[in-house]
Amino acid sequence: MADNKFVYLFGNDNTEGKNSMKNLLGGKGANLAEMSNLGIPVPAGFTITTEVCVLYLKDNKYPTGLLEQIDEALLTLEEENNKKFGDPDNPLLLSVRSGARVSMPGMMDTVLNLGLNDTTVKGIARKSNNERFAYDSYRRFLTMFGDVVLDIEHARFETLLEEKKHELGVDQDTEIDVDSLKDLVEKFKGVIKEHTGEDFPQDPRKQLQMAIDAVFNSWNNQRAKKYRKLNGIADDWGTAVNVQSMVYGNMGENCGTGVAFTRDPATGEKRFFGEFLTNAQGEDVVAGIRTPQPIEDLKNNMPEVYNKLESIYKKLENHFRDMQDIEFTIQEGKLYMLQTRTGKRTAAAAIRIAVEMEKEGLIDKKTAVSRIEPSQIDKLLHPMFDPDATYDVIATGLPASPGAAVGRVVFTAEDAEEKAKEGIKTILVRTETSPEDIGGMDASEGILTVRGGMTSHAAVVARGMGKPCVAGCGAITIDMERGDFTNGSVVVNEGDFISIDGSTGDVIVGEVELISPELTGELDTILQWADEIRRLKVRANADTPHDAGVAREFGAQGIGLCRTEHMFFGEERIPAVREMIMAEDVESRKVALEKLLPMQKEDFTGIFRAMDGFPVTIRLLDPPLHEFLPNQEELTERICELEKAGDNEKEIWEVQKVLDRVDILKEINPMLGHRGCRLGITYPEVYEMQVRAIIEAACDLTREGLEVVPEIMIPLVSHVKELALTKEDVKTTAEATMRDCGVEIEYLVGTMIELPRAAITADQIAEEAEFFSFGTNDLTQTTFGFSRDDAGKFLPLYVDKGILEEDPFAVLDQEGVGQLVKIGIEKGRSTRENLKIGICGEHGGDPKSVKFGHEIGLNYVSCSPFRVPIARIAAAHAVIENENK
Amino acid sequence: MADNKFVYLFGNDNTEGKNSMKNLLGGKGANLAEMSNLGIPVPAGFTITTEVCVLYLKDNKYPTGLLEQIDEALLTLEEENNKKFGDPDNPLLLSVRSGARVSMPGMMDTVLNLGLNDTTVKGIARKSNNERFAYDSYRRFLTMFGDVVLDIEHARFETLLEEKKHELGVDQDTEIDVDSLKDLVEKFKGVIKEHTGEDFPQDPRKQLQMAIDAVFNSWNNQRAKKYRKLNGIADDWGTAVNVQSMVYGNMGENCGTGVAFTRDPATGEKRFFGEFLTNAQGEDVVAGIRTPQPIEDLKNNMPEVYNKLESIYKKLENHFRDMQDIEFTIQEGKLYMLQTRTGKRTAAAAIRIAVEMEKEGLIDKKTAVSRIEPSQIDKLLHPMFDPDATYDVIATGLPASPGAAVGRVVFTAEDAEEKAKEGIKTILVRTETSPEDIGGMDASEGILTVRGGMTSHAAVVARGMGKPCVAGCGAITIDMERGDFTNGSVVVNEGDFISIDGSTGDVIVGEVELISPELTGELDTILQWADEIRRLKVRANADTPHDAGVAREFGAQGIGLCRTEHMFFGEERIPAVREMIMAEDVESRKVALEKLLPMQKEDFTGIFRAMDGFPVTIRLLDPPLHEFLPNQEELTERICELEKAGDNEKEIWEVQKVLDRVDILKEINPMLGHRGCRLGITYPEVYEMQVRAIIEAACDLTREGLEVVPEIMIPLVSHVKELALTKEDVKTTAEATMRDCGVEIEYLVGTMIELPRAAITADQIAEEAEFFSFGTNDLTQTTFGFSRDDAGKFLPLYVDKGILEEDPFAVLDQEGVGQLVKIGIEKGRSTRENLKIGICGEHGGDPKSVKFGHEIGLNYVSCSPFRVPIARIAAAHAVIENENK
């Protein structure tokens, strides 16, 4: 081990690292070395490798030879700077920073001015001829060292500083005089003694070693561990430590410090963008104690420095071929670069920068596309709160459907529809929504529910509509009788304005200003590039001609899931639907179905028309019939009311009849009940009507010259024979309908794979199914045994405790549910080689799940129309990532 | 193909077949050949092989050479009998019978007297000097040929016969005179002409060919197909055809025909048992037109024939080493055997015969055990209706828990308990039962429910109690207000006697006589032999010391599932349970749990004591908490009542409080809701109390010197981390409790595998679990997506339509659920080699499922105490069948 290299120099001609050594030197260290290699002025320093961190955390001691290598590196720094570490007259001071492969909040950040003590502070004072500067640096050092190395609350120091300013009657730190600073230094040392039981370490080498230990140990603190867990960062990567000679922006007016971006991080505009402070150290800019100046001012203040900075930032951007976030310090007119890294940016900026850089020839299309985080796109497609608005959040629910909305509170779907007619914007607030509420949901600006998770009815429907929704906001309680909802002492009445943010889950009383982010043509460019790259097709889940149209605009290549039951809820349809359900024999059921036929046909016609040339997968009726009837408690209460009123036997009898039916249809676990193809098998006339409507619509349009590709999907198949039986019925009806219409069309009959048994026996099922569509919502429910409607009672706790990393209804559980999907694909294609396979659960729009879908060989994903662009980019990323593997 | 052998002779010294050729010759043909080989008199004949059937059905024509081989065989028959087929003076007549490998109802049975026509009938008359005999045979032949070959309704002939008797004013067929028989013959030929459009075929060879075709075609008729499907008989086995010279039992008083068993098929007693008719043909005995005489009478009537028969039946039993069911005909004092086959027998007889044959040295123990159909045993353990009783069934439900019961109708659990105290026997009739009804179920003689399937609450609990139950009897409607239940016009009032048969699902008004089948020591002998053979251990599911005691008596080797929640429902316990649920914080919940602790401990102590030396698997609390609260509708109605009564604000408020809690706990799909380890994770104090109770009980008994082996089971694990977290809590509590008790005991912590995700990720879970128990009930629910409480709405139809062969809650679905179990076992043992694995669903007591469990390498199955003997035998069968493979 003795000849292992643990320490890498940077900042001079002897620079030993480079950009590609991020794993060993961490991101910060590698970039400091790279800047040095580019001839950019960087204060000399060295990086202790991540390997040392791993060894140290394992053995709890330094590897042999490390201290010698540090000493050697220090010697080089001393020579470079012509100073000596700990020298009473001309001391070298250091900064110590952590630096992992990727930036990681929660780890130890920075200690500046290390090397100061009661002796060296005097040397600095003499050497700089600036006693105030020296003691100001010392008190800063004590604070940072106490805080980040010794783990003493920052406030302990801050309070003393504030007391001192109060005592002196001054506002600014810069107004504190030297004697007071000296006094503070003594007091700070007292705090350290009191807290640690030991004196502040005067020995600079001991300071350095303690700081290095603190960086290593911070790798394993709780916040860092949790962050790693959440972000999939391996525990054994470790962090590097960067030790660097101090440069000072706080030595006078020809000094300063600043941060800047090579392009505008908010808009992506190609302009140098940043801020600086004269006579300040780095943390002052961040802390916001003084208001920094825009970077343009530097051009006037120190034109030479500015010119130098300009040439550097251009060089950096060209070199790294991405927008850079840089930090610099000016010491007595000399510019030093302290950091460069890829700059964070808004979604809009990301897109603009990617497209412009491609145009500039800096990057290729694949790189441009890979720079766009798919989930970021979401924000661009919805209105959001004005970032400058201020507001108080009264409660937070689940961010169930993105976008922000403002409106007056209504508690029923009917009210929402009523108000919409009057032109009044509303937010529909419900304990939970049911299919009956769809009209009201559509009429409102947004939806807020007390119960239900990310795939509750409200969430799914809202996402489908592209409507903001905050779901499962358990903190509020609705009182329908009083007509208000409350959270503790906060009371919100019907008609009051509220604002909700479906991207964060926030609920706000009053009207928050909304902005609609601009949809630039650049997004379209990126999406087209993504389309050129991706293999996976992207379809949309849409139940109406309108949604199908939106989906097509967003680039959907067909409909992956058209839920026919959503068509049953229209105001003029529900009576016929209920008649069908109340029917006591097949004949009267057929009469009711006859009434529904033209309505369904009209829907299909509209959807086929919108999707001309693309396939449309239509799922036959899926939910249990009781979903279409009023609920039991309401009916029971209604009867109670009627009885109290008296003299209305007939009315009571009518309600009682419905209640009896509800009672018969009632299920203990409707999710696992009489639904899906089980309905089709017990009431074949229902599917027959639907198939007839589909085929008639398709025939009509084919005659018009449109290209219609219906894919009829049988839901909830668990056994191949269910499919075989239903498929036979479908084919019989389809053939008969085509004969009646005198038109011959192509169509497929396939199934949803949404039950574990279907996945396990997919080889048998594929012998009947002409396509598969994985219904990953239901598959997640049955695989985990989680009811999506009820899981809200424990799922948040599960994610909190780290039992699950993510809500499996939002991000596909690859280990469990994903394995079943894989098994289903393999088995399915074992008996039908070219089986077309997609997924149509909520996961179809989640980037991670889309990538998984690409890897396991899906043909397409299908998601809410508003998530189609996200899926298009995620699908392209999957290709790019596989190429880079 | 020309030299293929299609036809095998039997009944003379040239016999070409033998017993081991069943696949080729069918069961009947092989046994006829075997009897011939044994020198037993069999009318000469030949068998056309099953291969011919397969070829014929495939190509729709006879294979080349068949007709020649038939002609050749006919020649041999003619020589043997010294008659000629179709000869006008001395015609040979034939019988034609089907005969597959296994006996198969639904296929063509028998045509007798084939070869008769308008000419040969006269020859027979002359030759036998018995014109009446000749025309009686002819009209019989026309009827049978018309019925089974030409597919003419039997009634068409029967009606004419009845009319004739009416016309003649006689009662018996034997009283019809010759002329009338001749007239009937003409009329019968008319019927045939009318029905087929063609004359009755006079050509004997054409008759023979048509009969052979009819046998072949009957292989593919609907009834036969359905029977094969239900019984797992391959469609490509085909049937053989047996063509045999006729012998006549109807030629006079020195003639006769009979059937007999070599031992008593009802009791198993070793005595010759049978019946015969003089002057009759075989079908007369079966048709029951005349009352046959007991076989003993033959000893007096025809002693020589009887002695001959006695030596034959003894030879046959010794040869086949099993009780035989034989058919014989006596023609003019000469005995002919027409059939021998293994005789059907009752469960009691099966056991007695098996044990006695082993004692006699005829068979070994393995053979004895393999002769006992495990499911037959069930009947021996429960009372049943007197087989001689007559009664009308007013409705039939599911045979949910075997045994019969008689009692007065009650509609509430309270009434059942009340009446039991008065010594009145009741049948509890409920729409469905809930855990609250347990006391009443226990107090009643049997349970009848309107809703619910084979694994509904009522069914599961009743089977556990060994109490008869008819479930899901949808034909009846309960009206609680009137206090009756009805099925159409049948009204049964509270207090009326009814009888139910849980083995058949029958419901009868009034008292049917019950008998308790004797439990002989021979069953015990068989069970002990089974224990010597089997590898699989058998445990019982039991929740009380009493049930544990019963289980041990039935031979259980431990408890595989002790459901702790069943202990929560005792009258004196439910208040503390509700207090626990209504608790609004941890502290008040702990107070309520403190009250439950001693009760739980007492239960565990009793169970451990009963199972001294055997392991006891205890499942921590599993059901959702709302199951312990009154139901919502009841509470809503109660409030309505109270409001109508007025002036009772406080009472309303109390009920409202419970209703609010019920409302909060309410779940849309409780099966997939907040239950199992999800409860343990959200309310760790509940599991803590249970673990404390378990370990305290175990420590106390260990101190007493008993051997206690607790296995603590965490339910409903879907992710290994749920188990890891809960296990840590369990271990902490267990260690602390042992420290407090000052006793150290061994215990295991394992999990139920009852969710698909758990099976798929069993490798991870086995890293934490010290044992697995497959909860195949819930696994079936989630794998199929079937709620066992709701599946009654479509599952019967599924079985009817053949979508599913069996109710997957009764017989494990090996293709789907079974695959997940296999995956779970393989993955589990991949990370923990010696993992102990059992199943504890209802399937643990189903013979097929037990055999599957043996094959896939389970360590044990666990079932209701009353099914333990069944599982013991099934486990032995699994070993024997594998050895014979």
Side-chain angles (χ1 to χ4, degrees), chain B residues 569-584:
Chain B
F569 281 104
E571 211 175 313
E572 73 290 3
R573 298 173 180 197
I574 197 85
V577 173
R578 290 191 176 161
E579 186 185 326
M580 185 261 288
I581 296 169
M582 298 293 289
E584 295 190 1

Side-chain angles (χ1 to χ4, degrees), chain A residues 10-130:
Chain A
F10 62 78
N12 54 35
D13 297 342
N14 301 324
T15 297
E16 296 169 318
K18 57 184 170 183
N19 186 36
S20 59
M21 292 164 75
K22 281 210 168 77
N23 290 359
L24 188 66
L25 304 180
K28 194 190 298 268
N31 276 0
L32 284 167
E34 190 75 2
M35 283 199 285
S36 307
N37 291 334
L38 291 172
I40 291 168
V42 168
F46 58 87
T47 303
I48 304 171
T49 68
T50 56
E51 288 176 0
V52 175
C53 176
V54 174
L55 291 169
Y56 171 80
L57 290 175
K58 203 176 95 209
D59 305 331
N60 207 20
K61 62 170 199 222
Y62 289 165
T64 316
L66 174 65
L67 287 176
E68 290 77 2
Q69 291 187 28
I70 291 177
D71 283 348
E72 220 171 293
L74 270 178
L75 263 180
T76 311
L77 261 55
E78 287 173 342
E79 281 166 24
E80 282 282 323
N81 288 280
N82 204 12
K83 294 176 181 175
K84 270 182 81 74
F85 191 48
D87 187 298
D89 295 317
N90 187 19
L92 173 68
L93 299 192
L94 301 172
S95 69
V96 178
R97 291 181 173 94
S98 68
R101 286 193 208 179
V102 295
S103 170
M104 233 179 78
M107 272 166 48
M108 199 200 92
D109 190 19
T110 304
V111 177
L112 298 179
N113 307 318
L114 186 135
L116 277 175
N117 58 24
D118 295 351
T119 312
T120 54
V121 69
K122 291 177 188 155
I124 293 282
R126 280 193 303 272
K127 184 89 183 157
S128 64
N129 204 12
N130 188 338

Side-chain angles (χ1 to χ4, degrees), chain A residues 640 672 678 722 757 785 787 798, chain B residues 640 672 722 785 787 798 813:
Chain A
C640 179
L672 308 174
R678 300 161 194 174
E722 291 173 298
R757 196 184 189 286
S787 163
Y798 268 39
Chain B
C640 180
L672 309 174
E722 291 172 298
S787 163
Y798 268 40
D813 159 52

Side-chain angles (χ1 to χ4, degrees), chain A residues 229 432 451 632-633 636-637 640-641 643-644 663-675 677-678 681-682 684 716 718-719 721-722 725 755-758 760-761 764 781-791 793-794 797-798 801-805 813 815-817 819-820 823 827, chain B residues 229 432 451 632-633 636-637 640-641 643-644 663-675 677-678 681-682 684 716 718-719 721-722 725 755-758 760-761 764 781-791 793-794 797-798 801-805 813 815-817 819-820 823 827:
Chain A
K229 196 173 196 115
E432 55 205 338
R451 287 217 202 109
Q632 196 172 25
E633 288 118 80
T636 308
E637 278 170 24
C640 179
E641 294 301 319
E643 282 174 355
K644 277 193 269 185
D663 204 45
I664 287 171
L665 292 175
K666 191 175 86 170
E667 293 184 308
I668 296 177
N669 296 293
M671 158 69 204
L672 308 174
H674 194 182
R675 49 171 288 234
C677 66
R678 300 161 194 174
I681 288 167
T682 43
L716 212 71
S718 66
H719 195 292
K721 289 190 189 162
E722 291 173 298
L725 203 76
L755 293 170
R757 196 184 189 286
I760 294 281
T761 62
Q764 296 174 23
Q781 294 199 75
T782 44
T783 304
F784 270 98
F786 286 168
S787 163
R788 69 182 192 191
D789 297 303
D790 304 307
K793 285 187 179 119
F794 53 87
L797 183 73
Y798 268 39
K801 289 206 175 198
I803 294 172
L804 297 174
E805 284 178 16
D813 159 51
E815 276 185 345
V817 181
Q819 285 315 300
L820 279 175
I823 290 171
K827 290 201 165 188
Chain B
K229 196 173 195 111
E432 57 203 336
R451 285 217 203 111
Q632 197 171 25
E633 289 117 79
T636 308
E637 278 170 25
C640 180
E641 293 301 319
E643 282 175 354
K644 276 194 268 187
D663 204 46
I664 286 171
L665 291 176
K666 193 176 86 171
E667 292 184 308
I668 296 177
N669 297 293
M671 159 66 203
L672 309 174
H674 194 182
R675 48 171 289 234
C677 66
R678 300 162 195 173
I681 288 167
T682 42
L716 211 69
S718 65
H719 194 292
K721 288 189 191 164
E722 291 172 298
L725 203 75
L755 294 170
R757 197 183 188 285
I760 294 280
T761 61
Q764 296 174 22
Q781 296 199 72
T782 44
T783 304
F784 270 98
F786 285 170
S787 163
R788 69 181 193 191
D789 298 303
D790 305 307
K793 287 189 178 119
F794 53 88
L797 182 74
Y798 268 40
K801 291 207 172 195
I803 294 172
L804 296 175
E805 285 178 15
D813 159 52
E815 275 185 346
V817 182
Q819 285 315 301
L820 278 176
I823 290 171
K827 290 203 165 187

Side-chain angles (χ1 to χ4, degrees), chain A residues 197-414:
Chain A
E198 286 181 40
D199 283 326
F200 164 73
Q202 293 283 336
D203 176 4
R205 283 191 189 255
K206 176 141 197 226
Q207 291 171 4
L208 179 59
Q209 203 173 314
M210 286 173 79
I212 292 170
D213 289 356
V215 171
F216 286 156
N217 288 323
S218 72
W219 177 256
N220 270 346
N221 74 31
Q222 287 308 314
R223 270 207 303 160
K225 275 189 182 168
K226 187 159 182 190
Y227 183 86
R228 283 203 294 277
K229 196 173 196 115
L230 287 172
N231 291 276
I233 298 171
D235 282 336
D236 61 3
W237 283 4
T239 179
V241 183
N242 297 295
V243 179
Q244 195 171 14
S245 327
M246 282 297 298
V247 286
Y248 298 96
N250 59 340
M251 285 177 74
E253 290 307 309
N254 59 346
C255 300
T257 186
V259 296
F261 295 87
T262 59
R263 304 197 183 204
D264 187 330
T267 65
E269 191 189 340
K270 191 175 179 182
R271 65 174 182 117
F272 194 44
F273 178 89
E275 298 172 326
F276 77 104
L277 274 175
T278 48
N279 196 14
Q281 272 199 342
E283 82 257 32
D284 296 336
V285 181
V286 180
I289 299 169
R290 285 158 58 197
T291 305
Q293 291 173 268
I295 199 82
E296 288 78 14
D297 292 358
L298 190 64
K299 208 187 274 187
N300 307 323
N301 292 3
M302 310 185 209
E304 264 176 55
V305 171
Y306 185 84
N307 288 343
K308 176 90 183 162
L309 186 60
E310 189 169 36
S311 85
I312 287 173
Y313 95 71
K314 286 184 174 163
K315 186 186 266 185
L316 284 172
E317 194 182 86
N318 272 311
H319 182 71
F320 289 105
R321 295 165 189 274
D322 200 354
M323 186 265 268
Q324 295 295 300
D325 166 359
I326 57 177
E327 283 178 36
F328 59 90
T329 285
I330 307 157
Q331 177 177 306
E332 299 183 313
K334 185 164 170 14
L335 177 68
Y336 292 95
M337 300 306 295
L338 298 184
Q339 172 154 299
T340 188
R341 59 182 172 188
T342 304
K344 298 218 181 303
R345 63 205 81 178
T346 64
I351 290 165
R352 178 164 174 183
I353 291 170
V355 172
E356 290 186 353
M357 282 194 170
E358 195 273 346
K359 300 259 153 82
E360 291 161 23
L362 271 178
I363 56 176
D364 61 11
K365 287 178 184 175
K366 279 189 181 165
T367 308
V369 170
S370 70
R371 293 261 172 91
I372 311 304
E373 195 50 54
S375 54
Q376 276 191 318
I377 299 293
D378 212 14
K379 294 190 192 125
L380 295 185
L381 307 168
H382 301 281
M384 52 188 248
F385 288 160
D386 183 344
D388 297 330
T390 54
Y391 46 81
D392 287 329
V393 173
I394 64 149
T396 302
L398 298 170
S401 177
V406 178
R408 293 180 186 276
V409 169
V410 290
F411 292 111
T412 68
E414 294 73 39

Side-chain angles (χ1 to χ4, degrees), chain A residues 153-191:
Chain A
E153 242 185 309
H154 186 258
R156 294 286 301 274
F157 303 103
E158 206 55 41
T159 313
L160 291 171
L161 184 69
E162 289 305 312
E163 277 171 15
K164 179 61 77 184
K165 286 197 279 186
H166 187 72
E167 195 184 305
L168 297 172
V170 302
D171 281 339
Q172 300 283 326
D173 294 359
T174 45
E175 295 172 295
I176 305 172
D177 59 68
V178 176
D179 286 338
S180 302
L181 287 171
K182 285 182 177 168
D183 182 41
L184 276 175
V185 162
E186 288 313 308
K187 284 192 168 127
F188 284 5
K189 286 192 285 186
V191 168

Side-chain angles (χ1 to χ4, degrees), chain B residues 20-48:
Chain B
S20 60
M21 292 164 74
K22 281 209 168 79
N23 290 357
L24 189 66
L25 304 181
K28 194 190 299 268
N31 277 359
L32 285 166
E34 190 75 1
M35 284 198 287
S36 309
N37 292 334
L38 291 171
I40 292 169
V42 168
F46 57 88
T47 304
I48 304 171

